Amino acid sequence: MPEYRYNNLNEFLNGWKDNDKYFEMLSLMAQLSRLFSESDVPYLDYRLAENLFCRYYKAMNDARSCTAYDARISGIGIGIKTFILNNNQSREKIAEFNKLKPTLESLHGLDLARKIGSYRNDRMRLANSTFDVNETTYHVVGRASGMLRIFNCPYEEVDIDNILLRKEDDKTIIFEDGKNEYSFTKSKSVLMKRFKITGNDYKDVKIEILENPLELLEEFFGKHNQEISEAKKHVPGIDYVMLPLYSVRKHEVAPKSGLNQWNAGGRPRHHDEVYIPIPKTIHKLYPDFFPPRDVDFTLYLPDGKSMSAKICQADGKALMSNPNRSLGEWILRKILNKQPGELVTMDDLNRYGFNSVCVENLHTVDNDGRMEYRISFAEIPESYNNFIGMDE
């Protein structure tokens, strides 16, 4: 399979149509639509579209991480969408702000539109800082009768200063910023964007939907007469754990510990001194997930950089970097954009859409024999509380 690597967005936009294998696999999957739907419009699950794109463009798959993007190629952040085309009127979900609903309920008109736009921009900037993204695009697999139409369109921040209000009622607000049109559903706190094709820069793939895909699958598996091994599962407590960025007991970011450890008393502390709390429940359920206390391991960040880390404090209640300020410099300054001396609160975490981190055991060791782990931010629906509840 050819390597499809692009150094910048311009290279991607000029070369994306050359990936024949990608379009072949899109066509093959869409031909199986009768497994799911009787419509003449091909069916394609959005997760499948993401996986196909990442596999055949050799992209990093960020769809399940807490980020504004589904994929990355070099410094390009890519949002991947699949939906039924509707004469350039298709509106699709691009963000959800459930945890911020109390801050939005009292706002109306331009004030509401501007606040929504600022929240959207905050999440894009967080993803850009986390993954060193400097260019962005949407990649769309549009579905229509008997065909797929694939195209790319700009992925842009909301231009707050140029927002114009188009319509508002009790349920919805519609606004635009001179470049894009957005709608916000108040009851569900969901932001949607109108996607449209401009010009002729698209690729059409004709789809002949198979009438009896089950017969084809039965024949295929019968001929090969082999078992299909179940893919290795991502096992909780063995492959990953979720850790809260807040106090589980008080459900708040503690003002003098955790991400605000720099504010604790007792001795002078550097303004980047932090730790990630490890509740006793994690050690109780998964005592062998982390190395023993004070044993260094390598922790990879979402952008591929790494730092030395270890489990510290009584009962192993803290994940800290070594030196300690490395973790604080990353999460306080680069990710949360906090100034020295500024406390982290739950409002900060809600604004960016995460309150926990996922720590993965890569089951590998580095050149110095240290175990290797990877950290990423976890969307609030996949937070620590749900993780523990799942295992209980």
Side-chain angles (χ1 to χ4, degrees):
M1 185 187 306
E3 290 287 334
Y4 287 93
R5 301 298 299 173
Y6 306 94
N7 295 314
N8 53 59
L9 180 58
N10 188 56
E11 286 187 8
F12 173 74
L13 295 178
N14 287 332
W16 71 277
K17 292 181 182 178
D18 299 330
N19 195 331
D20 293 338
K21 189 64 176 179
Y22 171 64
F23 300 109
E24 177 187 337
M25 292 304 296
L26 280 177
S27 174
L28 179 62
M29 294 297 102
Q31 288 178 55
L32 302 176
S33 294
R34 288 286 183 269
L35 291 172
F36 314 100
S37 170
E38 294 299 317
S39 172
D40 291 333
V41 176
Y43 175 86
L44 196 70
D45 181 77
Y46 75 99
R47 289 292 190 198
L48 177 58
E50 294 164 355
N51 291 336
L52 290 177
F53 180 92
C54 291
R55 176 173 174 82
Y56 295 107
Y57 283 98
K58 303 297 184 182
M60 292 290 295
N61 193 331
D62 293 323
R64 293 187 180 275
S65 65
C66 182
T67 173
Y69 311 116
D70 300 303
R72 278 178 294 133
I73 301 175
S74 299
I76 311 168
I78 303 167
I80 301 171
K81 297 291 181 183
T82 178
F83 50 78
I84 296 177
L85 296 176
N86 184 24
N87 296 323
N88 274 345
Q89 299 298 317
S90 301
R91 289 188 173 92
E92 293 297 315
K93 173 182 171 181
I94 60 171
E96 186 172 336
F97 302 110
N98 267 334
K99 287 290 184 178
L100 297 167
K101 190 174 181 179
T103 69
L104 299 171
E105 289 177 332
S106 62
L107 299 178
H108 303 280
L110 284 175
D111 289 338
L112 176 58
R114 288 168 179 160
K115 180 60 73 173
I116 295 166
S118 69
Y119 285 156
R120 171 60 173 166
N121 293 349
D122 283 345
R123 292 192 179 178
M124 285 185 66
R125 292 165 187 168
L126 169 70
N128 294 346
S129 297
T130 303
F131 296 103
D132 284 338
V133 167
N134 49 59
E135 295 181 292
T136 57
T137 188
Y138 278 110
H139 180 78
V140 178
V141 180
R143 297 181 283 124
S145 181
M147 63 171 287
L148 301 176
R149 174 163 289 180
I150 301 96
F151 61 97
N152 303 287
C153 60
Y155 191 143
E156 301 165 305
E157 290 189 5
V158 180
D159 189 344
I160 306 295
D161 295 333
N162 287 312
I163 287 179
L164 294 175
L165 189 64
R166 290 305 181 198
K167 178 183 177 182
E168 183 177 17
D169 55 33
D170 292 340
K171 297 180 179 179
T172 307
I173 181 172
I174 298 175
F175 61 94
E176 62 181 59
D177 65 354
K179 296 176 290 185
N180 297 289
E181 181 182 290
Y182 302 92
S183 62
F184 181 74
T185 304
K186 297 178 181 180
S187 61
K188 296 182 178 179
S189 295
V190 168
L191 178 64
M192 305 183 77
K193 175 185 179 298
R194 178 181 169 188
F195 285 84
K196 55 185 179 181
I197 304 172
T198 56
N200 298 314
D201 191 19
Y202 57 81
K203 185 179 181 71
D204 286 345
V205 178
K206 292 184 178 180
I207 304 298
E208 295 184 7
I209 298 176
L210 298 174
E211 288 301 324
N212 296 296
L214 283 176
E215 291 182 3
L216 178 68
L217 293 176
E218 288 172 355
E219 180 182 357
F220 173 81
F221 289 117
K223 280 183 178 179
H224 286 76
N225 193 25
Q226 61 180 10
E227 293 184 359
I228 304 301
S229 298
E230 182 180 4
K232 182 181 178 182
K233 295 180 179 179
H234 207 43
V235 182
I238 295 178
D239 298 314
Y240 75 99
V241 297
M242 295 284 190
L243 300 180
L245 294 174
Y246 56 90
S247 166
V248 174
R249 183 168 59 88
K250 296 184 177 180
H251 204 77
E252 66 177 20
V253 182
K256 295 183 181 295
S257 61
L259 298 186
N260 295 316
Q261 173 71 4
W262 55 268
N263 193 44
R267 61 172 173 80
R269 298 176 187 271
H270 191 273
H271 55 246
D272 287 336
E273 185 174 337
V274 303
Y275 67 84
I276 294 174
I278 305 178
K280 290 182 179 179
T281 304
I282 293 294
H283 289 306
K284 179 181 177 181
L285 291 175
Y286 313 118
D288 300 322
F289 182 81
F290 288 108
R293 178 178 166 183
D294 292 327
V295 174
D296 284 353
F297 57 89
T298 297
L299 184 66
Y300 288 96
L301 306 182
D303 61 6
K305 298 176 183 177
S306 66
M307 63 177 65
S308 179
K310 58 184 177 180
I311 306 304
C312 300
Q313 299 191 23
D315 299 321
K317 71 175 184 179
L319 190 162
M320 305 176 73
S321 61
N322 184 21
N324 177 254
R325 64 182 63 178
S326 298
L327 184 60
E329 181 180 356
W330 174 63
I331 197 167
L332 296 182
R333 312 299 164 223
K334 183 174 182 180
I335 302 305
L336 295 176
N337 199 28
K338 305 296 284 187
Q339 298 299 313
E342 188 178 1
L343 289 173
V344 178
T345 67
M346 287 299 287
D347 285 343
D348 294 317
L349 303 184
N350 289 336
R351 183 169 72 253
Y352 288 118
F354 64 86
N355 60 22
S356 307
V357 293
C358 176
V359 180
E360 297 177 76
N361 186 340
L362 301 180
H363 304 292
T364 55
V365 296
D366 64 16
N367 293 333
D368 296 320
R370 297 182 299 187
M371 295 179 66
E372 295 183 305
Y373 293 78
R374 179 167 53 218
I375 189 171
S376 60
F377 297 107
E379 292 184 61
I380 287 175
E382 300 174 1
S383 63
Y384 167 79
N385 282 344
N386 287 340
F387 173 74
I388 295 301
M390 174 182 66
D391 287 281
E392 290 177 341

